């Protein structure tokens, strides 16, 4: 029997507001344990929640980015349960009336096809305390208590791990481009839970779904789904039934493990939060939130397409918004070749940044000089290979200009046909065997000959011109023999 | 005459004219509170009060509460003063911050003498469920004084202080005020910040107080009313703030009403007779009182509606009392957090509270919610809708605040009756709609007091106080 996976995803995104969702406590990372709390965060009797309107603004922006209906009135509800990470004994969330409902996200698959994934709802809520478990005890850090979250719930519209990953990436791009979250999955500022069931091919009856938690990277989402598809397929092929349950992904073993069965599910006893009167959002507030939205990835896709990049090149620039911003900002100068600039950024600069283990934002480089370098290469004044040397100098000393470095290194490309011709003639004379090889169909031999020309000229001749002339010489050789 | 029989205005006058000093006034209150034999008080702060009083040699003319002694129900957060809300679960809890109400009263110059006893976590209407035991009626120790603001009510009846702060979720100030021969006022929901008031059921909870007369209630309202950014349910909009002026002037005319069941069905015919005598007297002051019909079903559902909503909210609000962060601990030898919380909560609450948590939790479970909790919300809405219609035609609802004098302790039953008697519970209408509602001293039977209650449309507090003043004057006339 063949099965179609049916996948839905719930994503919790921590919003990077200054203060917490319902208290004046600061939103912080890495601060001294239990030092960033207020009376409400610790549920002191008589403390009361107030709504952080900056988080509401971010919520409207996320909802708008996902083409959702934005709520005109905010309501909050309580989700009641006892747990050590929940000092109040309940979480304030939006159960009945989420800030955003009925949206859509378009993903692009590897084969270029586009697909719409429905987003059922996005709602604002507060985070719980952070727990660190030890064999005999658990330590609780209440600093995270009350940090604003937006939970984004997809419809069960995804049918493969690839679609799921693309969806998670799309959400990550939206929240990072809007600058409402750090979106760091490894650090927990973006957390995924996936629901997966298998449906018989051709059927439209859903199978029993299993919820998987603890997916702290995109790779884990993929591995977890692949594992679950295999596990559930095997169960169904044995003629057994998949149990409705919650499982935890164990990334060291690469498997999912049972957390709790459906029968142990908690009844959250939702009801309207009585401490917060409904808040009517004015058109002005909503419009301000929308008009102050930062550009979404789509904006850059259009822009980079019009600059001549292909979809592969664009897809490489987008995941980390800092690269897209960097690339985009270079165009405030006159860029003659968007592709050479792309090669410099996504080839040489990226590998430099990775090697140094720094972030692009920390890089000391003058964008104007980078553009000058790109233009020197595109005008063939220097070769790309020489350009790499210039770039490493620019990265070493950001006060230098491209022109200075080219002069200092005595670079510059030889384009004079007569000079190149002399060198080519010399090289051809010394490498007759290679010509024979080439004529017998060994394409690699051509590269070798051109390489010899470059070596002979100490890398200064224009490689394209050298190649042209080598081919002419080979043609002559063929006629003479 | 003891200075503590006097009203805020009288004392202010005498303090200003140096007829009495703050020290002598506060000393008198402190001695009375220290000698209390009715279990009216939790943490007493007489030492602190005397110290403050000794420094208060000048009274500010524009601060009517300057130097005035008061008590505060133990469910208000008071920085540095243990606050238990009458529950073992909060034993040893010393708050780190002041409730807005307490802060405003301090800024206005009022001097706290003691925290007052109350039914555990404000649940209960008898003053018999505090962790300190039964709060006794200062007039007769075999009787209750009512609750849940029991200590505050008793302190007024015994004339220990000039005013007392309580809180009102069902009738917790207005009913005991009836037994305590004082004014009990619950302003409109949202008028006064609840920040720092330990939540019982926030959709109903209201700051409320006991005073010697209507004008004193107006003075407190003037000090306490106002938007507080710390309370997201406090009201930002405009309303008539001339509480004191309106209360002093009384009303020129008013059109009030009553539901016949809430008067005629009272078994004690003396009360019924006195009610209509009052109605007659009020006519002379251009206050007419007309009979208005109400579907008895609406009255019958008041009690179950109140119990379901208040218990549901309480079961959630009091989930924070888990013995982990503050208050009385559970057994620290227990290694599982569930067992620990269970132990702390088993020891922390009385059976009555646990029963309410069970009712509240039951009503919110997804299998029951529609049938129980949501139905209660719908009933609440129906009652509000009907009352709003009534308030379109009438300035207020005037009814006896209780159907009897303060009951004997031996007659208090802890088993919940299957039958609800709306004559015991109708004041909750005021909490359902957030209406301002005031109980006034009215008649006496065997010397024990019974009050009368007036309820009106939201944010008509100033007008309500003006009508109440006229009724108060009329009642004084006839006695």
């Amino acid at each position: 029997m063949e099965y179609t996976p049916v996948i839905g995803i719930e994503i919790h995104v921590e919003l990077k507001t200054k203060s917490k969702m319902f208290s004046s406590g600061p939103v912080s990372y890495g601060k001294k344990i239990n030092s960033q709390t207020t009376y409400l965060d610790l549920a002191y009797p008589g403390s009361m929640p107030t709504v952080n309107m900056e988080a509401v603004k971010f919520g409207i922006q996320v909802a708008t980015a996902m083409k959702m209906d934005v709520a005109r009135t905010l309501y909050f509800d309580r989700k009641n349960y006892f747990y050590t990470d929940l000092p109040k004994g309940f979480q304030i969330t939006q159960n009945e009336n989420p800030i955003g409902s009925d949206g859509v996200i378009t993903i692009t698959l590897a084969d270029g096809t586009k697909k719409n994934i429905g987003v059922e709802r996005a709602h604002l809520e507060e985070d719980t305390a952070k727990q660190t478990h030890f064999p005999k005890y658990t330590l609780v850090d209440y600093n995270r208590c009350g940090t604003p979250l937006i939970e984004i719930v997809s419809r069960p519209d995804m049918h493969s791990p690839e679609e799921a990953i693309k969806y998670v990436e799309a959400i990550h791009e939206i929240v990072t481009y809007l600058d409402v979250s750090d979106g760091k999955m490894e650090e927990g500022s973006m957390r995924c839970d996936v629901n997966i069931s298998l449906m018989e091919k051709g059927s439209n009856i859903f199978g029993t779904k299993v919820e998987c938690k603890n997916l702290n990277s995109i790779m884990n989402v993929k591995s977890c789904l692949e594992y679950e598809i295999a596990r559930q397929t095997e169960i169904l092929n044995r003629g057994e039934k998949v149990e409705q349950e919650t499982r935890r992904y164990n990334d060291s073993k690469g498997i999912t493990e049972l957390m709790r069965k459906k029968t142990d599910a908690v009844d959250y006893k939702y009801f309207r939060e009585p401490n917060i009167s409904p808040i009517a959002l004015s058109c002005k507030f909503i419009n301000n939130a929308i008009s102050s939205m930062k550009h979404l990835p789509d904006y850059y896709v259009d822009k980079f397409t019009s600059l001549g990049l292909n979809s592969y090149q664009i897809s490489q620039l987008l995941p980390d918004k800092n690269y897209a911003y960097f690339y985009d900002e270079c165009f405030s100068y006159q860029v003659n070749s968007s592709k050479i600039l792309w090669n410099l950024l996504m080839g040489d600069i990226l590998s430099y940044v990775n090697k140094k283990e720094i972030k692009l934002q920390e890089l000391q480089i003058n964008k104007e000089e980078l553009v000058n370098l790109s233009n020197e290469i595109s005008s063939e004044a220097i070769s790309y290979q020489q350009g790499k040397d210039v770039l490493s100098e620019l990265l070493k000393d950001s006060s230098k200009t491209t022109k200075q470095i080219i002069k200092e290194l005595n670079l510059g490309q030889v384009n004079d046909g007569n000079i190149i011709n002399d060198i080519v003639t010399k090289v051809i004379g010394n490498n007759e065997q290679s010509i024979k090889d080439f004529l017998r169909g060994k394409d690699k031999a051509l590269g070798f000959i051109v390489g010899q020309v470059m070596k002979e000229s100490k890398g200064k001749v224009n490689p394209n011109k050298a190649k042209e002339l080598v081919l002419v010489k080979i043609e002559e050789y063929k006629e003479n023999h | 005459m003891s200075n503590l029989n006097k009203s805020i205005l009288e004392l202010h006058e005498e303090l200003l004219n140096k007829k009495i000093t703050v020290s002598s006034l506060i000393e008198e209150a402190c001695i009375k509170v220290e000698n209390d034999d009715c279990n009216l008080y939790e943490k007493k702060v007489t030492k602190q009060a005397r110290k403050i009083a000794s420094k208060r040699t000048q009274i500010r003319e524009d601060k009517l509460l300057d130097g005035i002694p008061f008590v505060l129900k133990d469910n208000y957060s008071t920085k540095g003063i243990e606050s238990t809300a009458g529950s073992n679960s909060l034993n040893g809890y010393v708050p780190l911050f002041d409730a807005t109400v307490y802060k405003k009263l301090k800024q206005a110059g009022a001097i706290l003498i003691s925290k007052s006893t109350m039914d555990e976590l404000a649940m209960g209407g008898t003053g018999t469920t505090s962790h300190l035991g039964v709060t006794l009626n200062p007039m007769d120790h075999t009787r209750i004084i009512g609750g849940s603001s029991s200590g505050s009510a008793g302190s007024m009846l015994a004339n220990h202080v000039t005013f007392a702060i309580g809180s009102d979720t069902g009738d917790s100030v207005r009913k005991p005020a009836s037994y305590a021969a004082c004014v009990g006022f619950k302003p409109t929901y949202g008028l006064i910040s609840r920040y720092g008031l330990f939540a019982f059921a926030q959709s109903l909870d209201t700051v409320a107080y006991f005073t010697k007369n209507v004008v004193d209630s107006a003075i407190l309202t003037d000090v306490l009313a106002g938007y507080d950014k710390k309370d997201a349910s406090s009201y930002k909009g405009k309303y008539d703030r001339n509480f004191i002026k309106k209360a002093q002037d009384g009303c020129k005319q008013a059109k009030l009403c009553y539901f016949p069941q809430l008067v005629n069905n009272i078994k004690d015919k003396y009360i019924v007779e006195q009610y209509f005598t009052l109605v007659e007297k009020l006519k002379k002051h251009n206050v007419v009182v007309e009979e208005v019909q109400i579907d008895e079903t609406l009255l019958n559902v008041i009690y179950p509606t109140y119990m379901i909503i208040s218990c549901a909210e309480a079961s959630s609000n009091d989930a924070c009392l888990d013995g982990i962060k503050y208050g009385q601990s559970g057994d620290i030898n227990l290694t599982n957090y569930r067992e620990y919380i269970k132990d702390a909560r088993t020891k922390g609450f009385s059976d009555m509270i646990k029963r309410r948590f069970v009712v509240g939790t039951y009503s919110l479970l997804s299998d029951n919610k529609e049938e129980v909790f949501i139905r209660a919300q719908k009933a609440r809405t129906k009652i509000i809708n009907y009352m709003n219609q009534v308030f379109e035609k009438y300035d207020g609802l005037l009814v006896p605040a209780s159907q009897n004098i303060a009951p004997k302790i031996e007659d208090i039953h802890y088993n919940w009756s299957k039958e609800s008697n709306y004559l015991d519970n109708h004041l909750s209408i005021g909490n359902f709609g957030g209406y301002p509602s005031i109980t006034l001293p009215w008649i006496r039977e065997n010397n024990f007091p019974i009050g009368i209650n007036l309820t009106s449309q939201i944010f008509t507090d100033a007008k309500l106080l003006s009508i109440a003043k006229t009724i108060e004057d009329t009642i004084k006339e006839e006695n």
Side-chain angles (χ1 to χ4, degrees), chain B residues 270-374:
Chain B
Y270 175 71
I271 298 176
V272 181
E273 183 193 305
Q274 286 296 306
Y275 181 81
F276 290 107
T277 307
L278 175 63
V279 167
E280 276 307 306
K281 301 230 160 154
L282 283 170
K283 280 184 188 161
K284 282 185 241 158
H285 300 275
N286 295 322
V287 175
V288 294
V289 187
E290 293 175 2
E291 183 178 297
V292 165
Q293 298 304 316
I294 185 170
D295 182 347
E296 195 160 23
T297 314
L298 287 183
L299 297 174
N300 280 326
V301 300
I302 291 173
Y303 187 62
T305 299
Y306 170 75
M307 285 309 278
I308 290 163
I309 292 173
S310 67
C311 291
E313 290 183 22
S315 71
S316 169
N317 288 328
D318 293 319
C320 62
L321 305 175
D322 55 15
I324 294 176
K325 306 166 294 275
Y326 44 75
Q328 185 175 288
S329 302
D331 180 353
I332 55 161
N333 295 315
L334 294 168
T335 51
N336 174 304
Y337 83 91
R338 286 188 170 274
E339 292 302 314
Y340 176 86
I341 292 178
K342 197 167 142 190
D343 185 64
R345 290 174 68 82
T346 301
K347 292 169 182 163
F349 303 121
S350 68
D351 289 350
M352 188 275 297
I353 294 287
K354 288 171 196 157
R355 201 187 308 168
R356 293 208 188 208
F357 288 164
V358 171
V359 170
T361 303
Y362 177 87
S363 72
L364 286 171
L365 287 173
S366 53
D367 284 349
N368 312 324
K369 194 161 129 186
E370 196 64 39
E371 193 55 27
V372 186
F373 185 71
I374 303 294

Side-chain angles (χ1 to χ4, degrees), chain B residues 84-268:
Chain B
T84 63
S87 178
N88 283 329
S89 64
L90 282 167
N91 283 345
Y93 171 60
V94 180
L96 298 167
F97 65 102
D98 283 337
T100 299
V101 163
Y102 180 46
K103 203 171 161 184
K104 283 189 164 186
L105 288 172
K106 279 199 290 188
Q107 283 165 355
I111 297 173
L112 179 70
I113 310 296
S114 182
K115 300 295 286 292
S116 60
T117 51
M118 56 186 284
D119 277 304
E120 184 172 5
L121 300 169
M123 293 182 223
T126 56
T128 58
T129 67
S130 158
H131 63 164
L132 295 185
V134 179
T135 300
L136 307 177
N137 188 318
M139 281 178 72
D140 176 351
H141 291 190
T142 68
R143 292 180 187 273
I144 63 162
I145 185 64
S148 64
S149 310
S150 44
S152 286
S155 73
M156 293 300 286
L157 182 58
N159 283 317
H160 290 177
V161 285
T162 312
F163 67 90
I165 305 291
S167 64
D168 191 315
T169 303
D171 56 20
S172 285
V173 161
R174 292 164 295 147
K175 186 76 148 313
S178 180
Y179 301 147
C182 63
V183 171
F185 181 39
K186 177 192 91 67
T188 298
Y189 182 88
L191 199 75
I192 299 177
S193 169
R194 287 186 291 111
Y195 181 75
L197 169 62
F198 298 4
F200 162 16
Q202 296 99 329
S203 75
L204 304 162
D205 290 346
T206 321
V207 171
Y209 24 85
F210 301 92
T211 59
K212 309 278 183 192
N213 59 33
V214 173
V215 172
D216 279 9
S217 275
I219 291 169
L220 287 183
T221 311
D222 181 62
V223 168
L224 298 175
Y227 171 71
D228 179 4
K229 66 178 191 319
K230 291 176 177 167
D231 175 358
S233 69
S234 73
Y235 187 65
K236 235 178 185 170
K238 287 201 169 112
Y239 49 86
D240 184 357
R241 280 201 63 114
N242 289 316
F243 307 113
I244 302 176
K245 175 84 168 59
K246 289 265 167 81
Q248 283 173 328
D249 290 352
C251 70
K252 290 198 175 67
Q253 57 179 43
K255 195 171 155 192
L256 307 179
C257 69
Y258 68 96
F259 301 137
Q261 294 95 329
L262 298 186
V263 179
N264 299 334
N265 290 4
I266 293 176
K267 284 195 186 114
D268 183 343

Side-chain angles (χ1 to χ4, degrees), chain A residues 22 24 38-51 77-91 95-96 131 136-138 140 142 266-279, chain B residues 77 90 93-97 189 193-199 201-203 228-234 312-313 315-322 324-326 335 337-338 341 345 360-362 364-367 369 373 377:
Chain A
F22 300 107
S24 56
T38 63
Y39 309 125
L40 181 78
D41 303 330
L42 291 171
Y44 275 73
S47 59
M48 296 178 79
T50 50
V51 177
D77 303 289
R78 284 189 185 178
K79 181 179 179 178
N80 295 284
Y81 62 99
F82 285 101
Y83 201 53
T84 42
D85 67 359
L86 196 67
K88 293 198 290 291
F90 57 84
Q91 179 193 35
N95 185 46
E96 298 273 338
Q131 300 191 94
K136 289 195 166 177
Y137 57 91
T138 295
V140 187
Y142 292 101
V266 184
D267 187 327
Y268 291 119
K269 308 191 299 284
Y270 286 101
F271 72 100
R272 175 77 51 79
E273 166 58 60
N275 271 326
I276 303 172
S277 302
I279 300 170
Chain B
S77 190
L90 282 167
Y93 171 60
V94 180
L96 298 167
F97 65 102
Y189 182 88
S193 169
R194 287 186 291 111
Y195 181 75
L197 169 62
F198 298 4
Q202 296 99 329
S203 75
D228 179 4
K229 66 178 191 319
K230 291 176 177 167
D231 175 358
S233 69
S234 73
E313 290 183 22
S315 71
S316 169
N317 288 328
D318 293 319
C320 62
L321 305 175
D322 55 15
I324 294 176
K325 306 166 294 275
Y326 44 75
T335 51
Y337 83 91
R338 286 188 170 274
I341 292 178
R345 290 174 68 82
T361 303
Y362 177 87
L364 286 171
L365 287 173
S366 53
D367 284 349
K369 194 161 129 186
F373 185 71
Q377 298 289 6

